[in-house]
Amino acid sequence: MEAVGSSSGAKYECLLFDMDDTLYPLSSGLNLACRKNIEGFMLQHLNIEESEVPRMCLELYREYGTTMAGLKALGYEFDNDEFHAYVHGKLPYEVLKPDPVLRSLLLSMPQRKIIFTNADKEHAAQVLKRLALEDCFEGVICFETLNPPHQLLPYMDELDGHSPVLPEREGEPETQCFSINSQILCKPSVEAIQAAIRIANVDPNKTIFFDDSPRNIASGKAAGLHTVIIGSSTLVPGADHALSSIHNIKEAMPEIWEGEEGGQVEQVIQSTAVETVVLA
């Protein structure tokens, strides 16, 4: 994909955004509800001892990036779609409300904007719809993008009945991380972030990565990205900026808007921010 609305001389050409607890605050309670559902899945579908579930859930998350990845690494067998349907299917999405302030900020940014989440595409679609941000991003790199059910081949698919799934960068050789037999690929592994960089076809030196996880930020920096920790007023290892809220981005990082003429930027935004597609 060719970058839209930016030239090779621009300081930043792409913005990679984590979604959960980044585009909306941790205080929404969605994170806690998700954890409870994961524990319920472990208890009911994997027959793990009830007294072990909470500790095991947290330890696997810390060691493997997601509890799901940890369960797979330990040898537990379950269907990925069933797991996501159980964990996200009962979430109280109604706690998320449209965010016109963030929407305005995103649409004013001249760079390409892409979601990069460990979650599945259905959850990403639900969250972006509730926040009224679904047309603010060029695409979504999600669980299915990095963990396809078959060897990654150029193909087309549908998201919410209308958005096509775009093939991986044309001419990019397949790598071991996309193998059917590989373990789940997800943040905070540097390999996952490198895969996202390759799929999005971005220059890491001209890309800013926004995430609420210090581990993800450290890996993003190791992959060559400019990094911004969200939800923290102090820098963490690997972070170039720290924002207590995503809403503070214009005050903290005016360079995102530097050198752009408002009319020209608006024209580009209006012509490209039509729908959010899943990148695969």
Side-chain angles (χ1 to χ4, degrees):
M1 291 174 291
E2 185 177 349
V4 178
S6 59
S7 65
S8 59
K11 184 174 183 180
Y12 300 118
E13 296 181 350
C14 185
L15 310 176
L16 277 180
F17 289 87
D18 176 50
M19 186 179 68
D20 294 305
D21 303 328
T22 294
L23 298 184
Y24 63 87
L26 178 65
S27 59
S28 70
L30 217 61
N31 183 293
L32 180 59
C34 187
R35 183 185 300 176
K36 292 296 183 183
N37 290 346
I38 293 174
E39 292 178 355
F41 184 89
M42 294 167 66
L43 183 63
Q44 297 180 27
H45 290 261
L46 303 182
N47 299 315
I48 298 175
E49 183 66 33
E50 184 174 4
S51 61
E52 292 293 306
V53 166
R55 175 194 59 80
M56 189 174 174
C57 181
L58 284 174
E59 288 182 356
L60 292 179
Y61 170 79
R62 289 169 180 159
E63 184 170 353
Y64 294 95
T66 68
T67 304
M68 180 187 189
L71 290 169
K72 291 280 188 176
L74 292 183
Y76 286 95
E77 296 184 0
F78 53 88
D79 182 81
N80 294 339
D81 292 339
E82 288 183 8
F83 177 89
H84 286 131
Y86 186 99
V87 168
H88 295 143
K90 298 180 289 184
L91 287 179
Y93 288 111
E94 64 274 8
V95 302
L96 300 179
K97 306 298 181 184
D99 190 337
V101 173
L102 179 55
R103 177 181 173 80
S104 178
L105 278 172
L106 290 169
L107 291 178
S108 72
M109 298 171 183
Q111 296 84 1
R112 298 172 62 203
K113 293 170 286 291
I114 298 172
I115 292 289
F116 178 24
T117 176
N118 282 337
D120 63 300
K121 65 180 181 181
E122 178 60 30
H123 174 68
Q126 283 282 356
V127 169
L128 293 176
K129 181 180 179 180
R130 293 282 181 168
L131 295 173
L133 303 177
E134 61 262 65
D135 61 344
C136 294
F137 298 94
E138 173 186 318
V140 174
I141 296 174
C142 58
F143 177 87
E144 290 90 345
T145 313
L146 298 184
N147 301 277
H150 305 292
Q151 283 293 89
L152 190 62
L153 296 172
Y155 65 95
M156 300 302 288
D157 197 1
E158 296 292 324
L159 171 61
D160 293 338
H162 70 277
S163 298
V165 175
L166 304 181
E168 188 188 7
R169 178 181 175 184
E170 189 174 336
E172 187 69 47
E174 292 181 7
T175 58
Q176 186 177 2
C177 64
F178 292 112
S179 169
I180 294 174
N181 298 319
S182 66
Q183 293 182 346
I184 287 177
L185 191 64
C186 62
K187 296 181 288 185
S189 81
V190 176
E191 291 78 12
I193 295 174
Q194 290 173 334
I197 291 170
R198 183 166 56 250
I199 291 168
N201 190 15
V202 298
D203 178 354
N205 294 318
K206 294 187 176 183
T207 301
I208 308 178
F209 175 47
F210 301 83
D211 203 294
D212 67 291
S213 165
R215 295 183 305 170
N216 296 348
I217 289 295
S219 296
K221 176 54 66 176
L225 298 166
H226 296 274
T227 55
V228 182
I229 183 73
I230 302 295
S232 171
S233 57
T234 58
L235 292 174
V236 298
D240 297 308
H241 297 271
L243 301 180
S244 58
S245 168
I246 193 73
H247 294 101
N248 300 336
I249 190 170
K250 194 161 191 176
E251 293 79 9
M253 304 183 67
E255 60 267 28
I256 289 177
W257 289 266
E258 285 177 1
E260 298 289 344
E261 297 181 10
Q264 181 179 2
V265 172
E266 183 66 20
Q267 183 178 1
V268 171
I269 290 169
Q270 292 301 324
S271 63
T272 60
V274 177
E275 62 182 3
T276 299
V277 299
V278 174
L279 306 177

